[in-house]
């Protein structure tokens, strides 16, 4: 019976791995999904309505006061106390 011990533990290990894999697949299946057409429509809407200051050819040049990527006008604006 000592030869059955390791073999039995290997089958238990395989069974446990299969059960874990099965649970991961069930979790993946339960994940909420949306259709590709809905996702692409949402992405297009976002790109059309959200201005991107890094693409001035599309959105036009931005005032330096409104541009978050513009370098500060006069050195650092830090205040030491």
């Amino acid at each position: 019976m000592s030869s059955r011990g390791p073999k039995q533990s290997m089958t238990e290990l395989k069974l446990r791995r299969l059960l874990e894999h099965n649970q991961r697949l069930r979790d993946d299946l339960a994940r909420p999904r949306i259709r590709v057409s809905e996702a692409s429509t949402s992405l297009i809407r976002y790109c059309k309505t959200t201005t991107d200051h890094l693409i001035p050819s599309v959105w036009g040049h931005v005032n330096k006061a409104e541009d978050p990527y513009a370098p500060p006008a006069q050195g650092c604006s830090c205040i030491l106390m």
Side-chain angles (χ1 to χ4, degrees), residues 77-81:
S77 60
C78 300
I79 299 173
L80 296 175
M81 296 179 126

Side-chain angles (χ1 to χ4, degrees), residues 42-52 59:
S42 175
L43 181 62
I44 290 170
R45 187 179 331 110
Y46 175 80
C47 291
K48 286 184 176 180
T49 59
T50 305
T51 58
D52 188 351
W59 297 101

